[in-house]
Coordinates of all heavy atoms in Angstrom, one line a residue:
N253 N 166.2 80.8 33.5 CA 167.2 79.7 33.3 C 166.9 78.7 34.3 O 166.9 78.9 35.5 CB 168.4 80.4 33.6 CG 169.6 79.5 33.5 OD1 169.6 78.3 34.1 ND2 170.7 79.8 32.7
P254 N 166.8 77.4 33.9 CA 166.4 76.4 34.8 C 167.4 76.1 35.9 O 167.0 75.7 37.0 CB 166.3 75.1 33.8 CG 166.3 75.8 32.5 CD 166.9 77.0 32.4
V255 N 168.6 76.4 35.6 CA 169.6 76.1 36.7 C 169.4 77.1 37.8 O 169.3 76.8 39.1 CB 171.1 76.2 36.2 CG1 172.0 76.1 37.3 CG2 171.2 75.0 35.2
D256 N 169.2 78.4 37.5 CA 169.0 79.5 38.5 C 167.7 79.2 39.2 O 167.5 79.4 40.3 CB 169.0 80.9 37.7 CG 170.3 81.3 37.1 OD1 171.4 80.7 37.6 OD2 170.4 82.1 36.2
R257 N 166.7 78.7 38.4 CA 165.4 78.5 39.0 C 165.5 77.3 40.1 O 164.8 77.5 41.1 CB 164.3 78.2 38.0 CG 162.9 78.1 38.4 CD 162.1 77.5 37.4 NE 162.1 76.1 37.5 CZ 161.7 75.3 38.6 NH1 161.2 75.8 39.5 NH2 161.9 74.0 38.6
L258 N 166.2 76.3 39.7 CA 166.3 75.2 40.7 C 167.1 75.7 41.8 O 166.6 75.2 43.0 CB 167.2 74.1 40.0 CG 167.6 72.8 40.7 CD1 166.3 72.2 41.2 CD2 168.5 72.1 40.1
W259 N 168.2 76.4 41.9 CA 168.9 76.9 42.9 C 167.9 77.8 43.9 O 167.8 77.6 45.2 CB 170.1 77.7 42.4 CG 170.8 78.4 43.5 CD1 171.1 79.6 43.9 CD2 171.8 77.5 44.4 NE1 172.0 79.7 44.9 CE2 172.5 78.4 45.2 CE3 172.1 76.1 44.5 CZ2 173.3 78.0 46.1 CZ3 173.1 75.7 45.3 CH2 173.7 76.7 46.2
S260 N 167.2 78.6 43.3 CA 166.2 79.5 44.0 C 165.2 78.6 44.7 O 164.8 78.8 45.8 CB 165.6 80.5 43.1 OG 164.6 81.4 43.8
H261 N 164.7 77.7 43.9 CA 163.6 76.7 44.5 C 164.1 75.9 45.7 O 163.5 75.8 46.7 CB 163.1 75.8 43.4 CG 161.8 75.1 43.7 ND1 160.5 75.6 43.5 CD2 161.6 74.1 44.4 CE1 159.7 74.9 43.9 NE2 160.2 73.8 44.4
Y262 N 165.3 75.5 45.5 CA 165.9 74.7 46.6 C 166.1 75.6 48.1 O 165.6 75.1 49.0 CB 167.4 74.2 46.1 CG 168.2 73.7 47.4 CD1 167.9 72.5 47.9 CD2 169.1 74.5 48.1 CE1 168.6 72.0 49.0 CE2 169.8 73.9 49.1 CZ 169.5 72.7 49.6 OH 170.2 72.3 50.7
W263 N 166.6 76.9 47.7 CA 166.7 77.6 48.9 C 165.2 78.1 49.5 O 165.1 78.1 50.7 CB 167.5 78.8 48.6 CG 168.9 78.6 48.6 CD1 169.7 78.3 47.5 CD2 169.7 78.2 49.7 NE1 171.0 78.0 47.8 CE2 171.1 77.8 49.2 CE3 169.6 78.2 51.0 CZ2 172.1 77.5 50.0 CZ3 170.7 77.8 51.9 CH2 171.9 77.5 51.3
M264 N 164.3 78.1 48.7 CA 162.8 78.4 49.3 C 162.3 77.2 50.1 O 161.9 77.4 51.2 CB 161.9 78.7 48.2 CG 160.6 79.0 48.5 SD 159.2 79.0 47.2 CE 159.3 77.4 46.8
M265 N 162.6 76.0 49.5 CA 162.2 74.8 50.2 C 162.9 74.5 51.5 O 162.3 74.2 52.4 CB 162.4 73.5 49.3 CG 161.6 73.7 47.9 SD 159.8 73.7 48.3 CE 159.5 71.9 48.5
L266 N 164.2 74.9 51.5 CA 165.0 74.8 52.8 C 164.5 75.7 53.8 O 164.4 75.4 55.0 CB 166.4 75.1 52.4 CG 167.6 74.6 53.4 CD1 167.6 73.1 53.6 CD2 168.9 75.3 53.0
R267 N 164.3 76.9 53.3 CA 163.8 78.1 54.1 C 162.4 77.7 54.8 O 162.2 77.9 56.0 CB 163.7 79.3 53.4 CG 163.0 80.5 54.3 CD 162.5 81.6 53.3 NE 161.3 81.1 52.6 CZ 161.0 81.6 51.5 NH1 161.6 82.6 50.8 NH2 159.8 81.1 50.9
D268 N 161.5 77.1 54.1 CA 160.2 76.8 54.5 C 160.1 75.5 55.2 O 159.1 75.0 55.7 CB 159.2 76.9 53.3 CG 158.9 78.3 52.7 OD1 159.5 79.2 53.3 OD2 158.4 78.3 51.7
G269 N 161.2 74.8 55.3 CA 161.3 73.5 56.2 C 160.8 72.3 55.3 O 160.6 71.1 56.1
Y270 N 160.6 72.4 54.0 CA 160.4 71.2 53.3 C 161.5 70.3 52.7 O 161.4 69.4 52.2 CB 159.5 71.5 52.0 CG 158.2 72.2 52.5 CD1 157.8 73.5 52.2 CD2 157.3 71.4 53.2 CE1 156.7 74.0 52.6 CE2 156.0 71.9 53.5 CZ 155.7 73.3 53.2 OH 154.5 73.7 53.7
E271 N 162.8 70.9 52.9 CA 163.9 70.2 52.4 C 165.0 70.3 53.6 O 165.1 71.3 54.3 CB 164.6 71.0 51.2 CG 165.8 70.3 50.7 CD 165.4 69.0 50.1 OE1 164.9 68.9 49.2 OE2 165.8 68.1 50.8
N272 N 165.6 69.2 53.8 CA 166.7 69.1 54.8 C 167.9 68.5 54.3 O 168.9 68.3 55.0 CB 166.2 68.4 56.0 CG 165.8 66.9 55.8 OD1 165.9 66.4 54.5 ND2 165.2 66.2 56.7
R273 N 167.9 68.1 52.9 CA 169.1 67.6 52.3 C 170.0 68.7 51.8 O 169.6 69.7 51.6 CB 168.7 66.7 51.2 CG 168.0 65.5 51.6 CD 167.4 64.8 50.4 NE 166.4 63.7 50.7 CZ 166.4 62.5 50.3 NH1 167.4 62.1 49.5 NH2 165.5 61.7 50.7
S274 N 171.4 68.3 51.5 CA 172.1 69.2 50.9 C 171.8 69.5 49.5 O 171.0 68.6 48.9 CB 173.7 68.7 50.9 OG 173.7 67.5 50.0
F275 N 172.2 70.4 48.8 CA 171.8 70.7 47.5 C 172.1 69.6 46.5 O 171.4 69.2 45.8 CB 172.5 72.0 47.0 CG 172.0 72.5 45.5 CD1 170.8 73.0 45.2 CD2 172.9 72.1 44.4 CE1 170.6 73.2 44.0 CE2 172.6 72.4 43.1 CZ 171.4 73.0 42.9
D276 N 173.3 69.1 46.7 CA 173.9 67.9 45.9 C 172.9 66.7 46.0 O 172.6 66.0 45.1 CB 175.4 67.7 46.1 CG 176.2 68.7 45.5 OD1 175.9 69.6 44.7 OD2 177.5 68.8 46.1
D277 N 172.7 66.4 47.4 CA 171.8 65.3 47.6 C 170.4 65.5 47.0 O 169.8 64.6 46.5 CB 171.7 64.9 49.1 CG 171.1 63.6 49.4 OD1 171.1 62.7 48.6 OD2 170.6 63.5 50.6
A278 N 169.9 66.6 47.4 CA 168.4 66.9 47.0 C 168.3 66.9 45.4 O 167.2 66.6 44.9 CB 168.0 68.3 47.4
T279 N 169.3 67.2 44.6 CA 169.3 67.4 43.2 C 169.9 66.1 42.5 O 170.0 66.1 41.3 CB 169.8 68.7 42.8 OG1 171.2 68.8 43.2 CG2 169.0 69.8 43.2
S280 N 170.2 65.2 43.2 CA 170.9 64.0 42.6 C 169.8 63.2 41.9 O 168.6 63.2 42.2 CB 171.5 63.1 43.7 OG 170.5 62.3 44.3
P281 N 170.2 62.6 40.8 CA 169.3 61.8 39.9 C 168.4 60.7 40.8 O 167.2 60.5 40.6 CB 170.2 61.1 38.9 CG 171.3 61.9 38.8 CD 171.6 62.6 40.2
Q282 N 169.2 60.1 41.7 CA 168.3 59.1 42.6 C 167.5 59.8 43.5 O 166.4 59.2 43.6 CB 169.5 58.4 43.6 CG 170.6 57.7 42.8 CD 171.8 58.5 42.3 OE1 171.8 59.8 42.5 NE2 172.5 57.8 41.4

């Protein structure tokens, strides 16, 4: 499911230090 996959991917990127934005900011259209 793409939504579940996105959520999992976000947490992996956060864990690995490649993401530092909130989920809402990281996934915003902008």
Side-chain angles (χ1 to χ4, degrees):
N253 175 310
V255 174
D256 294 338
R257 195 196 72 71
L258 175 66
W259 184 249
S260 178
H261 195 91
Y262 169 78
W263 284 104
M264 177 190 73
M265 299 297 278
L266 193 70
R267 176 199 70 204
D268 293 347
Y270 295 117
E271 182 61 78
N272 57 9
R273 300 174 188 226
S274 70
F275 180 80
D276 288 339
D277 187 26
T279 59
S280 75
Q282 295 82 10

